[in-house]
Amino acid sequence: MAPRTRKPERRTEALSRERIIEAAVELLDTAGEGGLTFRALTERLSTGAGAIYWHVANKDELLDAATDAVVTDALALKPARVPGSPQDRIRAVALGLFDAIDAHPWLAAQLATQLSRGPSKSVTPRILESIGQQVRALGVPESRWFTATTVLMHYILGAAGQNAVNGRAHGPGVNRGEFFNAVSAAWKQLDPDDYPFTRAIVDQMRDHDDRAEFLAGIALILAGITAGRSRTP
């Protein structure tokens, strides 16, 4: 009697755009933008390329969709539902994006790309709205809404992105404390006449907490915004 060959298992889960985007995020997290290919997706999803192209036209669309999905999750807690003041809600938005960028190494570059090349896409208005509604609630004059909101947005994305880069630039097995000890030792060797300020902040740099410094920056910006509420441009 001839041995029976095992038939390949049929997928019980219908392939959807949402599942494709979820798999794309997983690939981006583990392999980076270079590892996100349609071939890798077909292997992860156990499907054919045609099934994926039915939902997503190309890699650029896939990257945009993955970026939008992660940002949407980061901002899932609507600022209006956060208890406290508009300042508290802005901090909640900032920390949501900070944590998302820290968790997804590829996100900072994609956000920068969308802000510069695709501001009409959904991500930029989504972030602007989350921050801008709270800027308005602070009582900022309408003529200052754009400036105040974009300053906050660029600080949040820039500082969070730099933090994420710093966290991975040390290399595997390098302790954060050891890294900053080495940097502080190098700064202390700088010429005191040429670099008096840099030498003066060595201890602050070495002992700083990334999250606390990030929130301190938010507080500085908010202090400037609230101090200038009644001023004309």
Side-chain angles (χ1 to χ4, degrees):
M1 183 176 179
R4 297 177 60 185
T5 58
R6 185 179 179 183
K7 294 182 179 180
E9 294 182 6
R10 295 183 61 186
R11 288 177 52 82
T12 57
E13 178 187 358
L15 186 65
S16 65
R17 179 179 171 86
E18 290 72 22
R19 177 63 191 117
I20 293 170
I21 294 169
E22 179 184 341
V25 171
E26 293 168 359
L27 280 171
L28 286 164
D29 288 346
T30 56
E33 183 179 340
L36 178 61
T37 65
F38 276 72
R39 173 177 291 183
L41 269 180
T42 59
E43 293 176 356
R44 180 173 286 266
L45 295 168
S46 301
T47 189
I52 296 175
Y53 281 114
W54 177 262
H55 295 281
V56 183
N58 51 50
K59 183 174 178 177
D60 286 342
E61 182 181 335
L62 192 57
L63 284 168
D64 288 346
T67 301
D68 185 69
V70 173
V71 170
T72 299
D73 286 344
L75 302 176
L77 182 60
K78 299 293 184 183
R81 299 176 187 170
V82 175
S85 64
Q87 290 94 329
D88 293 328
R89 296 173 188 138
I90 288 172
R91 280 190 285 271
V93 170
L95 284 175
L97 292 168
F98 182 91
D99 290 339
I101 291 171
D102 186 57
H104 304 281
W106 51 274
L107 184 59
Q110 289 305 313
L111 285 171
T113 298
Q114 289 218 18
L115 286 173
S116 60
R117 299 180 186 174
S120 61
K121 297 178 181 178
S122 58
V123 168
T124 302
R126 195 185 307 281
I127 297 173
L128 275 173
E129 194 68 27
S130 296
I131 300 170
Q133 286 187 17
Q134 304 314 312
V135 167
R136 182 171 59 184
L138 284 170
V140 175
E142 185 173 352
S143 61
R144 289 184 166 288
W145 285 357
F146 176 78
T147 299
T149 302
T150 53
V151 165
L152 277 164
M153 181 177 71
H154 288 300
Y155 170 77
I156 291 168
L157 299 183
Q162 187 61 55
N163 174 75
V165 170
N166 289 345
R168 292 167 176 83
H170 310 160
V174 178
N175 178 273
R176 180 184 182 278
E178 294 174 352
F179 174 80
F180 282 113
N181 282 336
V183 173
S184 65
W187 285 10
K188 286 180 179 179
Q189 299 303 314
L190 295 172
D191 188 302
D193 294 327
D194 292 336
Y195 300 96
F197 175 81
T198 304
R199 286 169 55 92
I201 63 169
V202 163
D203 292 339
Q204 295 177 41
M205 182 280 297
R206 183 190 61 224
D207 301 328
H208 81 276
D209 177 88
D210 294 329
R211 198 179 185 86
E213 288 296 321
F214 176 73
L215 289 175
I218 295 290
L220 280 173
I221 296 172
L222 288 175
I225 290 173
T226 54
R229 279 181 297 193
S230 60
R231 300 175 188 170
T232 57

